[in-house]
Amino acid sequence: MSPVVPASPPESVLSERHIRILDAAERVFARAGFHAATMQDVAAEAGMSPGNLYRYFSSKDAIIEGMTERDRSLIAEDFGKLCPNNGSLLDQLEALGRKHLVDQPREKAVIAVQIWAEAARNPGMARMCADIEGTVIEGLAAAIREAKANGELPPRLDEGRFLMAISMMADGFFCRRAMDPNFDVTAAADTLFDGMRQLSQTMLLPETETQS
């Protein structure tokens, strides 16, 4: 693929037509993959002519950028709502995790794996993946620090290792869901969030590090 170029407005100002195209592209890419799919395929799925499609997105790369930016905006909005007034942080994180990992259609996981594979050889895609990861980590880190300060989480919780662990667990969930159409999403989600809760209490820094 060619370098990714800016093409779509922020999620907050996406038009109905932009949203329709992005939704159609997700279905096409999940079925055929980024490389096999064509702009004509996306146009047909969206119910418009290829010429009309090009008025909104100049290329497949531009559509992919629009998809990833939409996801980043939605994730940022969700993590920005984390607040002690809304209850336990771990309960809020589980609710968010279920929303993004479980409640979304399987095609979201298929596309995520394709994006990660493309990021290994496309610097523009790699930057977009890093932006999404940074958005998640930034929101989580701020919420965890607050939960440690108010006593919900252990003051010695190793934030860096905890964040890395739950991030890798979520990535693994996505990969398994994408690859296995018979993947037991419910059982896997229960296991993932039980693990998150246990790690939040046991992944601790040595006492000497917190006292220094």
Side-chain angles (χ1 to χ4, degrees), residues 29-31 101 104-117 170-185 188:
F29 293 155
R31 289 197 305 264
L101 298 176
Q104 295 291 334
R106 177 173 171 262
E107 65 190 24
K108 283 281 192 180
V110 173
I111 291 171
V113 171
Q114 292 184 52
I115 288 174
W116 294 338
D171 289 350
F173 185 102
F174 256 136
C175 288
R176 289 292 298 274
R177 190 177 185 195
M179 293 184 296
D180 182 3
N182 299 314
F183 181 56
D184 190 337
V185 177

Side-chain angles (χ1 to χ4, degrees), residues 1-73:
M1 287 187 174
S2 58
V4 178
V5 294
S8 62
E11 169 68 15
S12 59
V13 295
L14 284 177
S15 68
E16 183 277 333
R17 187 62 60 88
H18 280 97
I19 293 170
R20 191 168 110 199
I21 293 169
L22 294 177
D23 289 344
E26 287 187 348
R27 295 191 295 271
V28 170
F29 293 155
R31 289 197 305 264
F34 291 150
H35 292 285
T38 66
M39 291 289 278
Q40 288 75 16
D41 294 331
V42 175
E45 185 76 20
M48 63 176 62
S49 69
N52 199 22
L53 173 63
Y54 279 104
R55 293 176 52 201
Y56 294 90
F57 294 96
S58 61
S59 65
K60 282 196 298 181
D61 285 347
I63 293 176
I64 295 167
E65 183 191 15
M67 290 163 45
T68 54
E69 176 57 27
R70 178 169 68 166
D71 286 346
R72 190 201 65 76
S73 297

Side-chain angles (χ1 to χ4, degrees), residues 83-95:
C83 175
N85 295 334
N86 295 331
S88 160
L89 171 63
L90 295 180
D91 288 346
Q92 293 180 66
L93 291 182
E94 179 169 344

Side-chain angles (χ1 to χ4, degrees), residues 151-163:
E152 179 187 345
L153 294 178
R156 289 169 47 213
L157 177 64
D158 188 333
E159 297 174 30
R161 291 176 63 220
F162 177 64
L163 288 170

